[in-house]
Amino acid sequence: MGLIQTLQSRLLRYESTALRDRQAHFSAARNLARAQFLLGEAELSQRLWQDVADRGLDVERIE
């Protein structure tokens, strides 16, 4: 019984690679939009773009 409950709880928490990838791109896009357009922070924007490059995210998907 303990093993079955453990497996069920792990399956319920599973996130697919595609979902994590999509969430990473949306998060980066939101952060960049806020830094560039709402706050007008060039330095923050530059750091966020560097983070995108470091993480290997697709720039076209973020734009």
Side-chain angles (χ1 to χ4, degrees):
M1 197 65 138
L3 176 62
I4 292 172
Q5 288 174 339
T6 301
L7 290 173
Q8 286 176 337
S9 68
R10 286 185 183 184
L11 287 174
L12 291 174
R13 289 189 309 228
Y14 174 75
E15 288 183 357
S16 70
T17 304
L19 176 62
R20 284 192 303 261
D21 183 54
R22 188 169 44 250
Q23 288 174 337
H25 282 85
F26 277 124
S27 177
R30 275 192 305 271
N31 291 337
L32 280 161
R34 184 170 186 264
Q36 290 178 337
F37 303 114
L38 187 63
L39 301 175
E41 291 283 337
E43 184 177 330
L44 176 59
S45 177
Q46 181 63 33
R47 286 196 315 253
L48 289 169
W49 277 117
Q50 185 60 51
D51 181 55
V52 166
D54 292 345
R55 293 168 61 189
L57 298 176
D58 185 358
V59 173
E60 289 183 12
R61 284 181 66 187
I62 292 171
E63 291 176 332

